[in-house]
Amino acid sequence: RLIQPHRIAELFNRKRVHYTECAIYPFLRFEDFKEELFPKVRNLIRSNNYNHPWLTLNDEQILQKAGLRRNDTQAGQEGYTLAAALLLGKDEVIKSILPHYKIDALVRRVNTDRYDDRDYIDTNLIEAYDRLIDFTVKHLPDKFYMEGDQRVSLRAKIFREVVANLIVHREYTSGLAASFIIYKDRVETGNANNPHGDGPISPDNFAPFSKNPLISKFFTQLGRVDELGSGV
């Protein structure tokens, strides 16, 4: 018998058919977004696809095209979504909507009870991605490796995928903090998630199931994630 409110909320989230990232915040304004992020978004889109149709749009049109502003005809609401706030919101705006939101990046090689180094990340998802990548560059080796006749960075190839999965497929309404922990012999990540089905995952019958399609699609346009991914 479930009596804890957070467990009841988790059960409800697993059974409902819509995504929490689509929740509309009618009083969320365009001025609540971080203005300096839009040129960065355009540069990332251009690097991924120089002929991308979003490049001809203004900032508000990009949000509309990305589905970050919605008109819910069933509930009679219109406005920017939780996904919009997480992707582009000012830090204080995100904090007011999700006070619990953070990503805890830790190094535990010597002091395994506490940490040797830490980055407490509570900013928008675009800059959070960059800070986690910088954290891996600071603390993880990048040994020499060749693919054919070209040197490639295994660290970059592996951890761009790991960091993107940690960010894109998290259930942000959960109070459980996301974690990225570097140990002496391994790296562990953790986040809150709404599972699709249960039991062991088998490569023979596994099908991708996006957890946050709006955030995932936006990161896809930036060239940071595969839209078909599911965080596994």
Side-chain angles (χ1 to χ4, degrees), residues 3-206:
I3 58 174
Q4 301 99 326
H6 72 280
R7 295 295 304 278
I8 296 172
E10 288 171 359
L11 179 64
F12 176 75
N13 281 341
R14 286 199 301 270
K15 291 183 176 296
R16 64 182 169 185
V17 295
H18 69 276
Y19 300 94
T20 56
E21 64 160 5
C22 295
I24 294 172
Y25 289 79
F27 297 105
L28 185 63
R29 306 161 301 162
F30 182 77
E31 293 74 22
D32 293 322
F33 301 124
K34 208 168 183 179
E35 185 179 351
E36 58 268 32
L37 281 179
F38 288 96
K40 180 183 181 70
V41 165
R42 282 190 166 80
N43 288 335
L44 289 168
I45 292 173
R46 189 177 292 109
S47 297
N48 188 45
N49 179 2
Y50 72 93
N51 202 29
H52 198 289
W54 288 10
L55 296 174
T56 63
L57 305 177
N58 63 35
D59 296 342
E60 293 184 71
Q61 288 172 332
I62 287 177
L63 297 179
Q64 189 84 39
K65 194 70 174 177
L68 300 178
R69 182 178 179 87
R70 296 180 59 240
N71 180 15
D72 188 335
T73 55
Q74 186 175 14
Q77 284 186 317
E78 182 178 2
Y80 293 110
T81 62
L82 175 60
L86 284 165
L87 284 163
L88 296 156
K90 297 175 180 177
D91 291 358
E92 61 271 20
V93 173
I94 297 174
K95 186 70 69 177
S96 70
I97 295 174
L98 297 176
H100 57 265
Y101 162 68
K102 70 173 181 176
I103 303 170
D104 217 359
L106 302 170
V107 177
R108 285 177 172 165
R109 289 195 176 109
V110 178
N111 190 339
T112 56
D113 293 326
R114 294 182 63 80
Y115 54 84
D116 309 325
D117 194 14
R118 182 186 194 186
D119 190 5
Y120 184 101
I121 302 170
D122 57 358
T123 191
N124 63 82
L125 301 186
I126 293 173
E127 292 179 312
Y129 175 94
D130 291 333
R131 283 175 58 176
L132 279 171
I133 292 296
D134 290 344
F135 197 75
T136 67
V137 170
K138 181 180 179 182
H139 291 291
L140 292 172
D142 195 18
K143 295 183 179 180
F144 185 82
Y145 182 79
M146 297 285 290
E147 279 189 357
D149 58 355
Q150 186 174 5
R151 184 182 184 273
V152 297
S153 170
L154 285 180
R155 179 183 62 198
K157 292 188 74 170
I158 292 169
F159 285 99
R160 282 175 184 166
E161 181 81 9
V162 171
V163 168
N165 277 344
L166 178 67
I167 289 174
V168 167
H169 300 293
R170 174 181 175 182
E171 175 49 59
Y172 283 95
T173 58
S174 170
L176 180 67
S179 60
F180 182 96
I181 306 175
I182 299 173
Y183 293 98
K184 186 181 295 185
D185 58 344
R186 67 193 187 280
V187 176
E188 291 184 359
T189 65
N191 64 8
N193 193 261
N194 287 330
H196 179 60
D198 53 29
I201 297 172
S202 168
D204 298 327
N205 60 13
F206 171 71

